[in-house]
Amino acid sequence: MSLLFKIGFLDISIVNMIDIALVAALLYQVYKLLKGSVAIKIFLGFLSLYLIYLLVRAVRMELLSAILGQFMGVGVIAAIIIFAPEIRKFLLILGRSSIFSDDNVWKDLLFFWRKKENSAFNISPIIDATKSLSGSNTGALIVISSTVELKFYAESGDILDAELSKRLLISIFNKYSPLHDGAVIIHKGRIKAARCILPVTEREVPAQFGLRHRAAIGMSEATDALILVVSEETGQISMMKNGKVLHNLSFQEIREIINDYLNNEDLDDRFENLSEYDLSTKRKLAMTSKSL
């Protein structure tokens, strides 16, 4: 073990520095996962209780130390139960970012020189349908997946496996249609299912976002899909990816984002975090009120 430097009686090596860096990265990812949710307050409560336990043990308060020690003994089990949704979300993120999440992983390993095929298809029906839905203030929730069919979520609704078309999308989201209440899942140019139930985010969202937007954000947190939302109140169009949001988009921007997503391009830098979006919205409202 090669020694880098010493701090008093502590010997700091390269392995120690790597260890500290990895722990810091892990804690940062945990913070990002819990940020904006109720779980962060519970986590801080656990942390505070653990610091109190260390303090009590240091000053040799035997009775209180024994009580808190028993609680800390089952703390891991309690944390698993309390943070079950967050742990599930973390494992989903880990799984979808792994090389083993791709169905063709062995082909990719054997033929690593082969250029990765994109999953692009004709998205004009989506754009044309979105224009009609937005113009008539008809709410819509469309999930576009480039990697997997999202069978778990598709089976929560009605399986269609129909060819993608503008008329079919408009008819599905018509308020008199029995399929309008829920999401449509699109994969490889086909409408896999309609009336699908999506997971709702547990994070705090801007006040103008309704249940449809909350479901879109939740789905983007749980999968790598791109979600498109048409607001029923304003007709404005939003898109969600990896728990981030873009609001009030033009049809040209929608076309570019969907095409880039299907061509496996990185979109994270284009989307805004919910906290950043809420802050920018408040600034715009403040500037509007001042001008009035």
Side-chain angles (χ1 to χ4, degrees), residues 1-15:
M1 188 180 295
S2 57
L3 183 66
L4 284 180
F5 55 88
K6 295 183 68 174
I7 302 177
F9 59 89
L10 294 177
D11 297 333
I12 307 298
S13 66
I14 296 176
V15 175

Side-chain angles (χ1 to χ4, degrees), residues 149-161 183-186 191-198 219:
E149 296 183 23
L150 302 175
K151 290 183 179 179
F152 175 78
Y153 299 102
E155 289 172 356
S156 68
D158 296 324
I159 303 296
L160 299 180
D161 195 22
V184 160
I185 294 178
I186 297 174
I191 300 177
K192 292 296 179 180
R195 205 175 63 83
C196 300
I197 300 172
L198 305 185
M219 186 66 171

Side-chain angles (χ1 to χ4, degrees), residues 73-229:
V74 295
V76 175
I77 299 175
I80 292 174
I81 296 172
I82 293 172
F83 296 108
E86 283 72 25
I87 293 172
R88 180 176 179 273
K89 189 185 300 181
F90 175 75
L91 293 176
L92 281 170
I93 294 171
L94 191 65
R96 80 186 189 204
S97 61
S98 170
I99 61 169
F100 297 102
S101 63
D102 195 343
D103 294 335
N104 299 319
V105 62
W106 300 115
K107 292 181 182 179
D108 292 340
L109 290 175
L110 291 174
F111 305 103
F112 57 88
W113 64 85
R114 179 171 58 90
K115 184 180 179 180
K116 187 175 181 180
E117 297 179 359
N118 61 50
S119 52
F121 55 85
N122 181 21
I123 64 169
S124 293
I126 299 176
I127 306 300
D128 295 338
T130 303
K131 288 179 182 178
S132 298
L133 294 169
S134 176
S136 60
N137 280 25
T138 302
L141 183 55
I142 301 173
V143 178
I144 304 169
S145 175
S146 64
T147 53
V148 293
E149 296 183 23
L150 302 175
K151 290 183 179 179
F152 175 78
Y153 299 102
E155 289 172 356
S156 68
D158 296 324
I159 303 296
L160 299 180
D161 195 22
E163 185 177 349
L164 178 63
S165 72
K166 169 188 173 181
R167 291 175 182 173
L168 182 54
L169 284 174
I170 293 174
S171 63
I172 287 173
F173 289 113
N174 185 293
K175 64 180 179 180
Y176 299 109
S177 168
L179 298 176
H180 84 281
D181 190 15
V184 160
I185 294 178
I186 297 174
H187 178 64
K188 290 186 177 179
R190 299 188 68 82
I191 300 177
K192 292 296 179 180
R195 205 175 63 83
C196 300
I197 300 172
L198 305 185
V200 178
T201 184
E202 296 180 359
R203 293 192 295 164
E204 296 180 3
V205 300
Q208 67 268 32
F209 284 175
L211 185 59
R212 188 177 284 112
H213 293 82
R214 293 182 66 90
I217 295 169
M219 186 66 171
S220 72
E221 291 172 341
T223 68
D224 64 349
L226 180 69
I227 297 89
L228 185 149
V229 181

